[in-house]
Amino acid sequence: MREFISYNKSIEILNNIKLNKATTQKLFIIDAIGKVIASDVIADHNSPELPTSAMDGYAIKFEDINSGTLTIIDKNPAGSVVESAVCSGVCIKTFTGSLMPKGSDTLVPIENVEVSGDSIKITKAVPFGFATRAIGENYAKDEVLIKKGTVIGFAEVGVLASLNIAQINVIVNPTVAIASTGSEILDLGEIQTNEAQIRSSNHLTIEALCKKNGANTLQMGIVEDDIESITNLLETALQKADIVVTTGGVSVGDYDFVQDVIKDKLNAQVLFHGVTIKPGMHILVAIKDGKTIIALPGFAYSSTVCAILYVLPLIYRFREANESLPIVKARINEEMPRRMPKTVFTACNVEYINNEYTINFDGKKKGTSAILTNMLENPAILIQKEDSEDIKTGDLVDILLLNQLK
């Protein structure tokens, strides 16, 4: 008799899987977008390195702020170093990004002065040091600017460029091999020859999930329901991938061969086979030669929910980034009695209203675990723990925001 474990226990086991040490590669910073930085990025200089003008205006000594007239003695364009120095009674026209001239300590914006020939009159005073960027205002030498584990985005690219860093070491993303099993399913483009055949979407849905969440993918397609084909699939996938994901063949039917191959042909270490969740109770997770096999159910909604719950957290761990499933609190608009001693994942609609998430089930279809259309539009998944009380209208509940998956 197969022993089913709780959802919390299954996640604990998943999180304790020992992963191989991450490898790194060096990429040009634009090519590294979406990758994870492998070590801290530390500033090797101050920015700015000298006091710099933050506006167009006139560099002065603050002691002259209330003087009647100041003489313009020079211009100070950005990118050049002006030789003239500011002393009492004079000013230098200075532009945004220019170094502040020697002797100056304050910048008066052009809109605060009246210009007459080669002199100005300050019509509106400014405080000491106005519009003057101090040394190290952006960042200081030896400051950690980007921490190890950060996912590189546009801001990180900008900072790296400002540091004159063209290439950066990043964590190599894990490779996930994906296949669907079943003699009744057809791949894209295959012609239906009888009414019992159905079009597979699982392998492509899961590939899309993995790609979107930072994995390299190896699409293995559709595999026949027989021992030899499934054995060949898994042996090949294990040679090439860090994680192998299959759909179908893990239940209790006569043709559910995936579980038999994993246990008997591969002699893999089965961590669990069966979790008290709905959907996806027959999920199987195993280890073979340091690689993780996650065998998901065949129904589309079941396989997708389980891929989110079990495959994505494993990808996040491989990437060594501060990534996690986007689980938040939301207000529910109807009752949800506890119907079974399982952790239940139910598709819902989510909105952000009056500074909180709210969920409803308008238009969501009920029935089999095959209804993937419930994940369209503004979807979330309500998480109802197996030991929870009945959910009442207006309660705060846990939801997983599907449109905020990375």
Side-chain angles (χ1 to χ4, degrees):
M1 184 79 178
R2 180 146 48 95
E3 180 183 356
F4 285 72
I5 63 173
S6 70
Y7 172 65
N8 286 344
K9 181 64 177 176
S10 71
I11 295 300
E12 179 186 336
I13 292 171
L14 188 82
N15 289 339
N16 285 325
I17 292 174
K18 186 176 180 181
L19 306 182
N20 294 327
K21 182 175 173 58
T23 56
T24 64
Q25 64 181 146
K26 185 168 277 192
L27 294 177
F28 180 61
I29 54 176
I30 288 294
D31 297 328
I33 292 172
K35 300 293 197 328
V36 178
I37 287 181
S39 57
D40 290 346
V41 175
I42 300 172
D44 62 357
H45 64 277
N46 295 311
S47 176
E49 296 195 70
L50 294 168
T52 305
S53 169
M55 302 177 72
D56 292 345
Y58 295 86
I60 68 167
K61 282 186 173 294
F62 182 70
E63 63 190 45
D64 287 338
I65 193 68
N66 294 314
S67 298
T69 301
L70 298 175
T71 302
I72 305 169
I73 62 169
D74 210 339
K75 285 187 178 180
N76 181 22
S80 62
V81 178
V82 69
E83 295 297 329
S84 305
V86 172
C87 57
S88 182
V90 305
C91 64
I92 293 177
K93 189 170 186 181
T94 297
F95 299 86
T96 305
S98 300
L99 297 182
M100 290 292 288
K102 292 175 185 177
S104 66
D105 54 26
T106 301
L107 190 99
V108 181
I110 54 175
E111 57 268 27
N112 288 29
V113 306
E114 290 179 356
V115 181
S116 177
D118 61 356
S119 64
I120 63 167
K121 179 181 179 183
I122 298 172
T123 57
K124 184 178 180 181
V126 295
F128 175 81
F130 186 79
T132 300
R133 299 179 59 216
I135 294 172
E137 181 183 276
N138 282 345
Y139 50 79
K141 187 176 185 297
D142 298 326
E143 181 181 348
V144 175
L145 299 184
I146 308 174
K147 293 180 181 178
K148 174 184 176 180
T150 299
V151 179
I152 297 175
F154 67 89
E156 287 73 23
V157 168
V159 170
L160 291 167
S162 73
L163 293 169
N164 197 31
I165 295 174
Q167 293 184 309
I168 188 75
N169 273 327
V170 296
I171 303 291
V172 174
N173 285 338
T175 297
V176 182
I178 303 145
S180 290
T181 67
S183 300
E184 80 283 8
I185 58 178
L186 301 173
D187 205 346
L188 293 182
E190 287 191 274
I191 297 173
Q192 186 175 19
T193 57
N194 67 65
E195 293 180 352
Q197 294 173 323
I198 58 174
R199 189 72 58 190
S200 174
S201 62
N202 292 349
H203 59 307
L204 297 173
T205 304
I206 292 168
E207 182 176 15
L209 264 174
C210 293
K211 275 183 177 291
K212 190 170 185 291
N213 284 269
N216 302 318
T217 56
L218 180 62
Q219 181 56 254
M220 308 292 285
I222 309 297
V223 181
E224 292 284 326
D225 261 335
D226 64 72
I227 296 287
E228 183 178 0
S229 298
I230 294 170
T231 302
N232 289 339
L233 159 75
L234 289 173
E235 287 179 344
T236 302
L238 285 167
Q239 291 175 4
K240 299 179 178 180
D242 302 293
I243 306 167
V244 179
V245 181
T246 63
T247 69
V250 290
S251 190
V252 291
D254 292 342
Y255 298 97
D256 289 321
F257 294 130
V258 171
Q259 58 181 320
D260 297 331
V261 171
I262 292 172
K263 295 174 182 177
D264 302 330
K265 294 293 184 180
L266 297 182
N267 293 315
Q269 177 191 358
V270 176
L271 301 182
F272 55 85
H273 184 193
V275 181
T276 52
I277 56 175
K278 180 179 174 62
M281 63 184 292
H282 295 293
I283 183 173
L284 185 158
V285 174
I287 300 293
K288 176 66 176 178
D289 298 331
K291 310 292 184 70
T292 305
I293 304 169
I294 302 181
L296 305 175
F299 279 132
Y301 181 71
S302 298
S303 66
T304 304
V305 169
C306 287
I308 292 168
L309 298 175
Y310 292 93
V311 180
L312 297 192
L314 201 55
I315 291 172
Y316 299 156
R317 284 190 58 206
F318 267 101
R319 281 164 55 83
E320 296 189 358
N322 187 25
E323 298 170 318
S324 60
L325 295 177
I327 296 173
V328 299
K329 293 290 184 183
R331 191 81 59 185
I332 191 169
N333 76 341
E334 64 180 77
E335 294 184 352
M336 286 286 288
R338 179 175 176 267
R339 294 189 172 92
M340 59 189 75
K342 295 180 180 180
T343 298
V344 180
F345 300 90
T346 307
C348 58
N349 307 303
V350 61
E351 296 178 279
Y352 194 73
I353 301 173
N354 296 329
N355 297 317
E356 68 177 3
Y357 289 104
T358 63
I359 61 168
N360 63 71
F361 301 88
D362 299 343
K364 295 303 181 193
K365 298 173 183 176
K366 298 178 181 178
T368 74
S369 297
I371 305 170
L372 189 58
T373 54
N374 278 345
M375 291 186 170
L376 297 175
E377 298 181 12
N378 297 309
I381 296 176
L382 168 65
I383 304 170
Q384 195 172 11
K385 297 288 182 67
E386 62 182 69
D387 57 354
S388 70
E389 302 293 328
D390 291 346
I391 295 174
K392 298 179 176 58
T393 302
D395 281 354
L396 278 176
V397 294
D398 288 327
I399 64 168
L400 196 160
L401 296 167
L402 295 180
N403 283 348
Q404 290 191 21
L405 288 172
K406 293 189 180 295

